Amino acid sequence: KFWCLEQDNLDSGFNAMYRSLFLWAGAPLEYRNLHLGLTKPRSLCIDRSLKFDSEVTEHQSELLQKMIAAQDYFLLWGPPGTGKTSIMLKSLVRHLYENTFENILLLAYTNRAVDEICDAVMSIDESYGEKFLRIGSRLSTDSKYESQLLDQQIKWAKTRNEILELLLENRIYISTVSSIINKTELFNLKEFDTVIIDEASQILEPMLAGLLSKFKRFILIGDHKQLPAVVVQHSGDSLIKLKDLHDLGFYNTRTSLFERLYHRVIGNEWHDAFGILSQQGRMHEELMAFPNEYFYENKLELIPGSVRQSKPDFFDSFTENTSYLQHRKIFIDTQENGEINWKTNLHEALKCVDIIQDICDIFMLNNIDITHESIGIITPYRAQIALIRKCMESLPKELSEKITVDTVERYQGGARDIIIISFCVNRLSQLESLVSLSQEGIDRKLNVALTRAKEQIILVGNKKLLSDNKGYLALISHYEGTC
């Protein structure tokens, strides 16, 4: 009687989302009301006597106590460098494992993020290497965690009962969302209490809607002001027009569950269901100034006791040719590219190489070693990445191999001491694709790019073209005003 015509080819990803929505529809009404934001999530009284490791600040301790007290769900908003995974997820897992009998599932969107979760769990204690199982493929898993893969572990089992015993005795499981969705039979063999999802703001809602019904409690960790889920459809195709859905916070199908629920709990003032990590330990205070004002409503603060983040100078000595590097924030105006290929800019590529050479001179002058964590270059196009790499062939190979040149999407979650950004804008029409606005009007791509640096940012681009966008105009004005 009715037909549904899907614009895209159905593949395993789409099938998984349809199955998830069907699972959601068959879930208990209590869960569906919680998921839609119709019911206030429950919370116990906070146990202020809980103690955590010395690396946990007082602010982080208060948030951990709120997360532990949450009975239905909790949303942790973590801006860049605030210790979402390395401190918060790690401390929560340790508390749940050592103080409860809960079975815990840890999820993230990308395999790289799952590797970082494994790193965080392993940093609790070496013995934790025997306390978790990882679900996924050997090809997409860091080699140091291959032995923890479920497929590797069950190789030693001789009977079904031994496999079942292995599954039941392990209380911590780690996986990508896509991997666990394709292993739903696990939920027939084992009951999980808490699921903790890192990078939750990068996951489309249908991926989680049904899955979360399998747990007593879910904790979502993310930052809706950083990069969202990748959606290839035209932005107009994802708009939701039904007012009844608007009343529930559904405005766009590309919005993550994390972002929708976050605005829901804020609007309803359900303070026990969310928390904001406001202390960051990555960016120097000068680099933090612009993102804090334009993206984070001046909520960001420095980690207490951090000397590095407020140190006046990164370098002690300069030469006459490198004196411009004494500034923490630098904007260098370059020509647009007049050639047919507007996704490359030779002027910017050559300038990036000049800057690298100057940085090397400064590092040598100040007796600082250059490592893989020292310099990174962010640019929006693969063609510009290739061009910069080509120009870097003039540098010593041992140096160029230590410098990562990549897109902002690939840099999310990473950081370097010095970040060089080649905007590669040669015509005004490029600005539309360069900008990724959130529901609140935040340019998420620019936010991620600017928050990758610890000590210094150098912007390279055409001032006239970039200034046509009010966000970039504000950025250039801010950077030029600090030099």
Side-chain angles (χ1 to χ4, degrees):
K1 187 176 179 181
F2 297 101
W3 288 84
C4 174
L5 300 182
E6 175 58 52
Q7 288 180 308
D8 294 89
N9 293 324
L10 292 178
D11 57 18
S12 60
F14 277 92
N15 285 330
M17 286 193 277
Y18 282 126
R19 286 197 302 269
S20 179
L21 289 173
F22 185 81
L23 185 60
W24 178 90
L29 181 62
E30 179 185 13
Y31 165 75
R32 284 181 282 144
N33 284 339
L34 275 169
H35 173 267
L36 293 173
L38 294 171
T39 305
K40 181 180 179 180
R42 298 167 298 164
S43 180
L44 301 171
C45 293
I46 296 176
D47 184 359
R48 298 190 180 277
S49 65
L50 294 177
K51 301 296 181 183
F52 303 98
D53 290 345
S54 58
E55 64 181 343
V56 178
T57 67
E58 184 178 345
H59 167 66
Q60 292 168 337
S61 176
E62 290 176 359
L63 290 176
L64 280 166
Q65 289 164 2
K66 287 181 69 175
M67 295 167 76
I68 292 165
Q71 288 188 277
D72 296 311
Y73 67 79
F74 189 88
L75 310 174
L76 182 66
W77 174 20
T82 51
K84 298 186 290 292
T85 308
S86 61
I87 301 295
M88 301 300 289
L89 183 144
K90 166 189 170 181
S91 300
L92 181 58
V93 169
R94 180 171 192 168
H95 173 84
L96 294 178
Y97 189 84
E98 297 179 1
N99 297 279
T100 74
F101 295 101
E102 289 193 20
N103 291 311
I104 311 156
L105 179 61
L106 308 175
L107 301 176
Y109 180 60
T110 64
N111 279 292
R112 188 178 71 172
V114 171
D115 285 335
E116 291 177 1
I117 290 176
C118 291
D119 290 341
V121 172
M122 286 292 292
S123 69
I124 297 173
D125 188 280
E126 287 186 6
S127 65
Y128 272 75
E130 300 176 358
K131 291 179 169 60
F132 74 87
L133 289 175
R134 177 160 175 176
I135 297 172
S137 166
R138 184 169 56 86
L139 298 175
S140 55
T141 299
D142 191 305
S143 58
K144 60 186 174 184
Y145 298 121
E146 284 184 17
S147 62
Q148 271 88 19
L149 283 168
L150 176 59
D151 293 347
Q152 298 298 310
Q153 290 283 326
I154 62 175
K155 281 183 178 181
W156 308 106
K158 297 178 181 178
T159 66
R160 292 183 180 181
N161 282 336
E162 288 182 0
I163 295 175
L164 183 60
E165 185 178 340
L166 173 71
L167 295 174
L168 294 178
E169 71 180 14
N170 279 276
R171 291 173 47 206
I172 302 174
Y173 286 71
I174 305 176
S175 172
T176 60
V177 174
S178 59
S179 290
I180 201 69
I181 283 177
N182 292 315
K183 284 230 181 341
T184 53
E185 61 272 15
L186 178 64
F187 298 111
N188 297 326
L189 301 172
K190 188 176 185 72
E191 183 177 346
F192 286 91
D193 301 282
T194 297
V195 59
I196 305 169
I197 304 179
D198 205 358
E199 286 191 341
S201 50
Q202 286 189 285
I203 305 171
L204 291 172
E205 185 151 358
M207 294 287 286
L208 299 179
L211 177 66
L212 296 181
S213 67
K214 297 290 187 180
F215 304 89
K216 297 175 183 177
R217 167 176 63 176
F218 62 88
I219 294 172
L220 306 182
I221 303 174
D223 182 5
H224 52 288
K225 299 195 177 189
Q226 293 193 61
L227 292 177
V230 176
V231 178
V232 297
Q233 286 176 317
H234 188 274
S235 57
D237 293 336
S238 62
L239 293 175
I240 297 172
K241 299 175 183 178
L242 288 173
K243 186 181 182 303
D244 288 347
L245 290 177
H246 288 181
D247 294 339
L248 295 172
F250 291 96
Y251 294 95
N252 198 309
T253 55
R254 65 181 63 209
T255 301
S256 67
L257 169 63
F258 178 92
E259 183 173 0
R260 182 182 65 79
L261 268 188
Y262 182 82
H263 290 301
R264 194 78 178 160
V265 298
I266 289 288
N268 290 326
E269 297 185 352
W270 293 339
H271 299 290
D272 291 338
F274 76 94
I276 302 171
L277 280 168
S278 59
Q279 297 174 342
Q280 66 88 17
R282 175 188 297 166
M283 295 173 281
H284 186 275
E285 61 182 349
E286 288 187 36
L287 304 190
M288 183 181 76
F290 185 86
N292 199 19
E293 179 180 353
Y294 286 88
F295 306 139
Y296 290 107
E297 303 148 32
N298 289 312
K299 287 184 169 70
L300 294 182
E301 304 170 356
L302 301 183
I303 286 281
S306 174
V307 175
R308 176 190 68 79
Q309 290 178 278
S310 54
K311 184 182 176 183
D313 299 309
F314 182 36
F315 303 111
D316 295 323
S317 304
F318 302 88
T319 63
E320 183 177 348
N321 293 334
T322 60
S323 59
Y324 72 97
L325 290 173
Q326 65 186 297
H327 301 288
R328 295 273 184 175
K329 298 178 284 191
I330 303 165
F331 177 79
I332 298 174
D333 189 14
T334 55
Q335 294 177 245
E336 71 271 27
N337 186 23
E339 297 178 7
I340 295 175
N341 187 359
W342 47 268
K343 288 190 175 182
T344 61
N345 187 303
L346 182 60
H347 307 291
E348 292 186 20
L350 292 172
K351 179 56 68 175
C352 287
V353 174
D354 289 342
I355 293 168
I356 292 170
Q357 290 174 327
D358 289 341
I359 291 172
C360 290
D361 291 342
I362 287 290
F363 269 61
M364 186 177 298
L365 183 65
N366 288 270
N367 294 316
I368 303 174
D369 293 329
I370 292 181
T371 70
H372 290 87
E373 304 301 315
S374 298
I375 307 169
I377 301 176
I378 297 175
T379 194
Y381 306 114
R382 291 182 181 180
Q384 182 68 355
I385 291 172
L387 181 59
I388 292 173
R389 276 286 175 202
K390 181 70 176 174
C391 293
M392 285 173 60
E393 290 178 0
S394 62
L395 300 173
K397 186 178 180 181
E398 62 271 17
L399 170 62
S400 61
E401 287 178 346
K402 294 178 181 178
I403 300 172
T404 304
V405 187
D406 220 327
T407 62
V408 67
E409 288 82 4
R410 297 278 294 173
Y411 254 101
Q412 178 151 317
R416 297 291 186 272
D417 290 330
I418 301 174
I419 287 290
I420 303 168
I421 303 177
S422 168
F423 290 112
C424 195
V425 173
N426 298 300
R427 55 182 71 177
L428 287 176
S429 58
Q430 287 177 258
L431 284 171
E432 184 178 349
S433 61
L434 197 66
V435 173
S436 172
L437 293 180
S438 71
Q439 187 175 316
E440 303 164 292
I442 300 296
D443 187 345
R444 293 174 289 201
K445 282 188 180 180
L446 182 59
N447 181 25
V448 172
L450 294 177
T451 53
R452 298 309 95 197
K454 297 177 182 179
E455 302 289 351
Q456 188 175 49
I457 301 181
I458 304 167
L459 308 181
V460 181
N462 183 270
K463 179 179 178 180
K464 183 178 179 181
L465 290 170
L466 289 169
S467 296
D468 194 71
N469 176 275
K470 64 179 182 180
Y472 282 93
L473 176 61
L475 175 67
I476 293 169
S477 300
H478 175 89
Y479 269 51
E480 290 187 330
T482 59
C483 291

